[in-house]
Amino acid sequence: GQSLEQPSEVTAVEGAIVQINCTYQTSGFYGLSWYQQHDGGAPTFLSYNGLDGLEETGRFSSFLSRSDSYGYLLLQELQMKDSASYFCALTMDSNYQLIWGAGTKLIIKP
Amino acid sequence: DGGITQSPKYLFRKEGQNVTLSCEQNLNHDAMYWYRQDPGQGLRLIYYSQIVNDFQKGDIAEGYSVSREKKESFPLTVTSAQKNPTAFYLCASRELDRVNTGELFFGEGSRLTVL
């Protein structure tokens, strides 16, 4: 079967850099996505890695290594508004559906 | 502005009652999805539809039903057969020619509580 593992909670300081890891076990996938969800709100798409390597979008970067079955989301210059849950998700090559991690709650302290 | 509208935002139901959650999109997306989210868990797929008048079961379809009579609408009915329906329900959509980009567009969700 397929599964993704993320830390349940990460704490960081405003202005700092934080990395949220995602490890997975799966037979085949197209790519790894990252989503942000504020409490009670809708998940919003942040980034997608179809190939190995780093993708940068402003303060956020995402990385994928298929050989290590591992990816991460890097958030720089943390702001209080970045306090949210972050989910990694794989797009499966069997049916294009997304398999989701359980999410990482990011707590930012002033 | 284009987007996905879910209603109601909050819904209370007595045990044994069916309830229907509305999902409407004006993004002209072919594919629509219903997910269930429970605390501390990832999203789990209930049903999805890639074309009008056709839909497929997801991982946790038991106790739920859907219809897709119009491209822009994909309502979800939570039936009395669903053993633990209290959850946050999310509707999503995407373009079929972008299914390998991992990007879904979500509504604001409907929170169902069974009393």
Side-chain angles (χ1 to χ4, degrees):
Chain A
Q2 303 95 9
S3 67
L4 295 93
E5 297 291 330
Q6 305 178 235
S8 59
E9 189 175 290
V10 170
T11 301
V13 178
E14 189 177 14
I17 299 173
V18 71
Q19 178 173 313
I20 299 174
N21 297 325
C22 175
T23 58
Y24 58 84
Q25 292 183 337
T26 186
S27 56
F29 67 98
Y30 282 115
L32 180 70
S33 303
W34 287 92
Y35 285 77
Q36 179 191 62
Q37 185 182 32
H38 288 98
D39 283 347
T44 55
F45 175 80
L46 292 176
S47 68
Y48 176 78
N49 292 75
L51 302 174
D52 281 9
L54 191 67
E55 294 284 341
E56 298 180 76
T57 308
R59 294 187 298 114
F60 295 178
S61 303
S62 58
F63 174 83
L64 174 65
S65 169
R66 291 175 185 264
S67 60
D68 295 322
S69 297
Y70 161 74
Y72 66 73
L73 179 70
L74 190 73
L75 297 84
Q76 302 182 69
E77 300 173 16
L78 285 172
Q79 303 175 10
M80 296 304 293
K81 68 178 181 180
D82 297 329
S83 295
S85 291
Y86 293 84
F87 293 86
C88 57
L90 292 173
T91 299
M92 306 310 297
D93 62 5
S94 56
N95 57 10
Y96 293 102
Q97 300 311 316
L98 272 65
I99 304 297
W100 297 78
T104 299
K105 183 169 185 173
L106 175 61
I107 298 170
I108 299 175
K109 297 184 176 181
Chain B
D1 288 335
I4 300 177
T5 302
Q6 289 187 239
S7 63
K9 190 170 179 63
Y10 298 97
L11 184 62
F12 297 89
R13 186 194 94 173
K14 293 182 180 179
E15 286 191 16
Q17 290 180 334
N18 293 355
V19 294
T20 297
L21 308 181
S22 170
C23 178
E24 303 278 332
Q25 55 101 357
N26 60 3
L27 299 168
N28 200 35
H29 288 168
D30 288 304
M32 297 187 73
Y33 306 82
W34 274 105
Y35 287 95
R36 170 180 172 140
Q37 186 175 30
D38 294 284
Q41 296 188 37
L43 279 64
R44 292 184 291 168
L45 183 63
I46 305 172
Y47 268 99
Y48 66 100
S49 168
Q50 296 185 338
I51 192 170
V52 174
N53 292 321
D54 186 56
F55 46 83
Q56 307 296 326
K57 291 183 178 180
D59 300 320
I60 56 166
E62 185 175 353
Y64 300 98
S65 66
V66 293
S67 63
R68 187 86 185 277
E69 297 178 0
K70 299 185 296 182
K71 185 177 182 178
E72 58 270 23
S73 179
F74 191 40
L76 173 74
T77 296
V78 185
T79 75
S80 57
Q82 170 49 233
K83 300 302 181 187
N84 184 21
T86 295
F88 189 49
Y89 292 89
L90 288 158
C91 179
S93 71
R94 66 177 170 183
E95 297 174 1
L96 276 179
D97 60 0
R98 291 179 59 80
V99 292
N100 63 345
T101 67
E103 183 175 11
L104 291 174
F105 295 82
F106 284 88
E108 291 296 316
S110 293
R111 188 168 298 280
L112 172 63
T113 302
V114 174
L115 303 174

